[in-house]
Amino acid sequence: MAIRPILTAPDPRLREVSKPVGQVDEALRELMDDMLETMYDAPGIGLAAIQIGVPQRVIVMDLAGEDEEPAPLYFVNPEILDPSEEKKPYEEGCLSVPDYYDEVERPARCRVKYLDYHGAEQILEAEGMLAVCIQHEMDHLEGVLFIDYLSRLKRERVLKKLKKEQRLAAAS
Ligand code: GNR
Ligand code: NI
């Protein structure tokens, strides 16, 4: 297993639309293992493959609390079904938009159809944090970031700050 660098905005690779996975094989499980290790190290509660530069429709997640057993979830080729009419706001963050948090409204509940770590088809009912996180990760597969839901003013302010930080980091 290996920790891989996480891309940060405005890296153009984060805008790519990820491609469906052909089959869940040993190589894909290795990618998912690396993603999980990278996510735990960050630390974060979810990670899409494109965040480590791999444009494939793969997501890992773990919503377990600090003093709970790890509960990794793996989603291959996920699809959102039946998003609720009811929307809920939640304060989101993103490992690819470091140190910025803001409220985003999304459907409060949905179902997710996906292939699991072993390639078996699963359907999961999601609400609360799980619904927020899966929808945030699904957006990454389409090249969408949570800051895209904010006002242009806010988004541009965040991107400008990130660019400046990257410039300073590169110079040091
Ligand atoms: O670690 C993460 N926390 C988080 C908090 C609120 C809403 C969404 C998230 S996902 C984020 C990790 C990440 O960037 N996944 O793409
Ligand atoms: Ni994110």
Side-chain angles (χ1 to χ4, degrees):
M1 297 225 286
I3 294 167
R4 310 228 209 145
I6 295 175
L7 307 181
T8 52
D11 192 309
R13 287 171 287 181
L14 290 168
R15 295 311 189 173
E16 284 182 38
V17 178
S18 294
K19 301 234 157 30
V21 170
Q23 60 172 341
V24 182
D25 55 15
E26 220 30 66
L28 192 80
R29 277 188 281 273
E30 252 175 59
L31 170 68
M32 293 194 280
D33 292 345
D34 283 359
M35 287 171 61
L36 199 72
E37 194 180 1
T38 302
M39 182 192 84
Y40 286 145
D41 176 70
I45 57 172
L47 192 78
I50 194 61
Q51 292 180 277
I52 57 166
V54 178
Q56 296 205 67
R57 303 186 78 84
V58 182
I59 290 164
V60 298
M61 224 180 272
D62 190 332
L63 301 181
E66 277 195 16
D67 36 44
E68 289 172 344
E69 287 292 305
L73 292 168
Y74 306 87
F75 300 88
V76 177
N77 297 340
E79 289 171 55
I80 298 270
L81 309 170
D82 314 319
S84 62
E85 292 286 332
E86 186 200 342
K87 307 269 198 295
K88 259 212 166 126
Y90 196 92
E91 179 109 331
E92 298 197 15
C94 181
L95 294 172
S96 296
V97 185
D99 304 318
Y100 184 77
Y101 303 85
D102 213 331
E103 211 164 72
V104 175
E105 272 202 3
R106 302 183 186 272
R109 292 172 302 284
C110 62
R111 293 194 298 156
V112 197
K113 183 175 148 186
Y114 62 99
L115 303 178
D116 67 14
Y117 193 78
H118 304 288
E121 191 173 299
Q122 303 284 347
I123 293 185
L124 183 66
E125 307 271 347
E127 62 177 342
M129 197 59 213
L130 180 60
V132 171
C133 197
I134 189 72
Q135 292 177 79
H136 172 114
E137 303 308 338
M138 290 291 303
D139 273 352
H140 279 300
L141 305 187
E142 301 302 322
V144 172
L145 300 172
F146 83 99
I147 53 173
D148 297 345
Y149 298 104
L150 309 179
S151 71
R152 184 154 134 187
L153 180 69
K154 277 190 180 178
R155 181 169 54 256
E156 282 174 1
R157 209 158 49 200
V158 176
L159 289 172
K160 191 174 163 191
K161 183 165 156 275
L162 290 174
K163 274 187 224 168
K164 183 175 171 189
E165 282 168 4
Q166 286 165 26
R167 198 155 24 83
L168 291 171
S172 67

